[in-house]
């Protein structure tokens, strides 16, 4: 039996505030995962098309952090959805 609320791995504190409701519908979990993974994919596609010579070096850690959050949260959602799979 898993706990009702599953903390996201992207939490930086010992007391997570961002949680996945494991009682959410399978469809809702998949939709939330899809939304985050598509946003990360879209950002990567944009970055692929943009010349990094135009970017400021201080932007790179911000971009990487955004991508990490989106991908890891999407993976966490997929993990919970797999536990619910019929």
């Amino acid at each position: 039996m898993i706990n009702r609320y599953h903390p996201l791995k992207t939490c930086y504190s010992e007391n997570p505030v961002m949680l996945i409701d494991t009682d959410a519908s399978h469809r809702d979990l998949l939709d939330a995962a899809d939304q985050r993974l598509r946003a990360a994919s879209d950002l990567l596609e944009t970055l692929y098309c943009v010349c990094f010579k135009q970017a400021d070096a201080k932007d790179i850690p911000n971009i990487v952090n955004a991508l990490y959050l989106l991908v890891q949260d999407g993976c966490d959602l997929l993990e919970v959805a797999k536990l619910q799979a019929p």
Side-chain angles (χ1 to χ4, degrees), residues 11-78:
C11 178
Y12 293 117
S13 71
E14 290 183 25
N15 300 309
V17 295
M18 301 289 288
L19 306 166
I20 299 169
D21 183 355
T22 61
D23 283 351
S25 74
H26 191 251
R27 173 85 287 170
D28 288 343
L29 291 168
L30 291 176
D31 286 346
D34 181 68
Q35 179 186 35
R36 282 152 182 78
L37 294 172
R38 285 189 189 280
S41 177
D42 290 347
L43 180 53
L44 283 169
E45 185 175 339
T46 298
L47 293 173
Y48 178 75
C49 295
V50 172
C51 178
F52 271 101
K53 292 177 185 175
Q54 299 167 342
D56 191 324
K58 70 177 175 50
D59 293 332
I60 294 172
N62 297 334
I63 293 166
V64 170
N65 186 52
L67 286 168
Y68 168 71
L69 289 172
L70 289 167
V71 171
Q72 185 59 58
D73 289 358
C75 289
D76 287 348
L77 286 155
L78 286 175

